[in-house]
Every structure is written in C-alpha cells, then in structure tokens.
C-alpha cells in the first residue's frame, strides 16, 4: 500500500503540487489524469524519488519512502515512459533482462523469464530475442519497455503517458495488454495520462488533478455519474486534455 500524507512540492515560490493525502491499494490500477502542469508527473516521480516532496511524507508498506535504500527502491520499481527508452546497443533479450542481471539472477533464469513474457505479449521469442530496438516498430518497442519494467516483479509499476506517442491501433493494443498483465500478475500500477478515455479504459480508481490541486479521486463510474465540478465534467466531452 502507498500512502501520501499531506505531500506537497514547491520550487521556490512556485507551488506545483498543493498538499494532498491519498492511498493507493496493493494491486490497484490507479490513474492520474489532468492537463499539462497539473502535477501528475511530479506525483508519479515522487514514488521512485526522482522528485522529493517539499513537505509531507510518502509511505510504502508502512515504511517512509525516504528511509528506503535508493538503489533497492528503484530496482523494485518498474518505470515506463512516453519516450521509449530502450538501450539501442542492446538486444531485446539484453534490454528485458537488465534489471534481473543487476539483481543477480542466473542467465538461464533471465532468458527463460524473458521468453515467457515475450510469448505473453504476442512476440515470438525466437524471432525477437536477438533483434535490436531499431528493428522494431514503436508498438513493439513499447512492449519490450513494459516487459523490462515488470520482469523482476516490481512492487510498483509507474507508467508516465506510455502510449501517447503511438498510433491509435497500437495504443489500444497496449492498453489491452497492460490491463491484461495487471490482472494476471496482480501488479500495483500508477499510470499518468491526459486522456480521460484511456483512464476510463484502464483504471480501478481515477485521481483528477488541475493546477497542482487534487480535484476528485474515486472509481470511474462514480466520477462519471457525479463529477465534482465543471472542469471534471469537461473531461468527459471526448477530447484529450492538453
């Protein structure tokens, strides 16, 4: 379980995240929605300590996050970005198995798990293991990025607008894939998007942010049936929030 207790972030006199408190349950698919500058990526990056809170505290399994060993925290936190961040000089196998290698897994175990995961996402291991990122489509590269993030069974998977640069077909395929992996593996996922349609497709619970403020946090149907204000209502008009 992840708990934010009156967490805020300031840069000088500029407050980018007002004090907020919320809890993310184990195994929950938790989606942060809001326009650019709303504070959603700031909130996400606090979970692997790329950004530290100005005030308040974050607890992971009842332990304060800042007390965790930073290397261990990041080795146990999956992270998928919009910018597909595969290492171009490494093969698919080497990209996927990077974290398990750092954690001391044997080569046989690393390769076996990589093959199993590739099969789960519809990529034939014999065809893809020894390819390089430049030989893959954008959707295939992002699949590999997801596998690299989940292979070592992270406590939390962070996803920062991971599909927004993809074409609509690839985007929907990867939404379905991520939801399927979430259900199969019981992952705790914190996902950032500006697209309410995507949030409704994926989320167990949605947290809506605007100008650094948490506006509403609830299950998708509850928000849709009773939006807190006109801003929240506007998110359901079918347009992406920019």
């Amino acid at each position: 379980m992840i708990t934010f207790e009156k967490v805020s972030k300031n840069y000088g006199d500029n407050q980018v995240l007002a004090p907020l408190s919320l809890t993310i349950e184990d195994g929950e698919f938790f989606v942060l929605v809001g326009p650019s500058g709303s504070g959603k990526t700031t909130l996400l990056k606090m979970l692997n300590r790329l950004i530290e809170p100005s005030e308040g505290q974050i607890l992971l399994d009842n332990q304060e996050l800042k007390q965790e060993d930073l290397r261990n925290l990041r080795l146990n936190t999956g992270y998928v970005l919009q910018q597909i961040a595969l290492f171009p000089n490494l093969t698919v196998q080497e990209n996927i198995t990077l974290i398990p290698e750092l954690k001391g897994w044997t080569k046989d175990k690393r390769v076996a798990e990589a093959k199993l995961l590739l099969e789960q996402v519809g990529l034939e291991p014999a065809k893809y293991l020894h390819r390089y990122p430049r030989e893959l489509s954008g959707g295939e590269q992002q699949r590999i990025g997801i596998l690299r993030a989940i292979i070592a069974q992270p406590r939390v998977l962070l996803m920062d607008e991971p599909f927004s640069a993809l074409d609509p077909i690839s985007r929907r395929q990867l939404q379905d894939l991520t939801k399927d992996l979430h259900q199969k593996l019981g992952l705790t996922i914190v996902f950032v998007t500006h697209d309410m349609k995507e949030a409704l497709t994926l989320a167990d619970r949605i947290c809506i942010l605007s100008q650094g403020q948490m506006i509403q946090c609830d299950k998708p149907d509850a928000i849709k049936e009773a939006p807190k204000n006109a801003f929240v209502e506007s998110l359901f008009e079918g347009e992406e929030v920019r």
Side-chain angles (χ1 to χ4, degrees):
M1 183 170 69
I2 302 165
T3 305
F4 288 79
E5 297 182 347
K6 298 179 180 178
V7 172
S8 64
K9 182 62 181 179
N10 304 312
Y11 292 102
D13 294 332
N14 181 30
Q15 185 176 69
V16 297
L17 193 66
L20 62 79
S21 298
L22 62 85
T23 298
I24 301 170
E25 300 293 338
D26 289 340
E28 187 171 25
F29 203 129
F30 190 85
V31 178
L32 298 162
V33 180
S36 297
S38 62
K40 56 190 187 298
T41 294
T42 297
L43 192 63
L44 184 85
K45 287 183 175 180
M46 288 180 178
L47 290 171
N48 61 0
R49 294 182 56 197
L50 287 174
I51 293 177
E52 299 283 3
S54 298
E55 295 182 353
Q57 62 178 0
I58 303 169
L59 305 177
L60 177 61
D61 298 332
N62 296 315
Q63 179 172 330
E64 195 169 359
L65 206 63
K66 69 180 182 182
Q67 301 299 327
E68 292 244 0
D69 177 81
L70 189 57
R71 182 177 186 274
N72 286 337
L73 173 68
R74 291 182 179 165
L75 284 176
N76 287 291
T77 304
Y79 194 25
V80 183
L81 301 167
Q82 175 184 345
Q83 300 82 9
I84 301 168
L86 300 181
F87 292 101
N89 59 324
L90 300 183
T91 64
V92 164
Q93 176 181 304
E94 290 166 337
N95 267 285
I96 294 174
T97 61
L98 186 63
I99 298 301
E101 185 174 3
L102 291 172
K103 296 182 81 169
W105 291 21
T106 66
K107 184 175 181 180
D108 286 348
K109 182 180 178 181
R110 297 196 306 265
V111 174
E113 191 65 22
K115 288 179 177 179
L116 181 64
L117 288 173
L118 282 168
E119 289 169 354
Q120 287 187 23
V121 301
L123 299 177
E124 184 182 341
K127 184 177 178 182
Y128 284 92
L129 271 177
H130 302 296
R131 288 189 177 184
Y132 287 87
R134 64 180 177 274
E135 301 174 288
L136 308 176
S137 69
E140 289 170 342
Q141 288 185 44
Q142 199 60 299
R143 275 177 161 79
I144 302 307
I146 292 170
L147 297 188
R148 183 177 63 184
I150 68 172
I151 186 172
Q153 301 173 344
R155 286 187 290 179
V156 182
L157 176 61
L158 309 179
M159 307 186 79
D160 192 358
E161 302 202 51
F163 312 140
S164 59
L166 301 176
D167 64 87
I169 293 174
S170 295
R171 184 172 186 168
R172 186 53 191 263
Q173 288 174 341
L174 284 171
Q175 288 170 353
D176 292 343
L177 168 65
T178 302
K179 194 166 186 178
D180 185 53
L181 289 172
H182 170 252
Q183 292 170 348
K184 284 181 178 177
L185 303 177
L187 295 168
T188 301
I189 299 178
V190 184
F191 188 104
V192 164
T193 184
H194 53 256
D195 183 349
M196 181 56 88
K197 286 183 178 179
E198 183 166 69
L200 292 169
T201 298
L202 296 173
D204 294 323
R205 206 153 44 106
I206 295 171
C207 179
I208 298 171
L209 300 171
S210 178
Q211 297 180 329
Q213 303 274 348
M214 184 169 69
I215 308 300
Q216 190 168 2
C217 188
D218 211 332
K219 293 181 179 180
D221 287 345
I223 294 177
K224 196 168 186 177
E225 290 169 9
K228 186 172 182 178
N229 57 26
F231 169 75
V232 176
E233 191 171 1
S234 74
L235 299 183
F236 293 95
E237 293 175 357
E239 296 295 328
E240 292 185 347
V241 186
R242 295 289 183 178

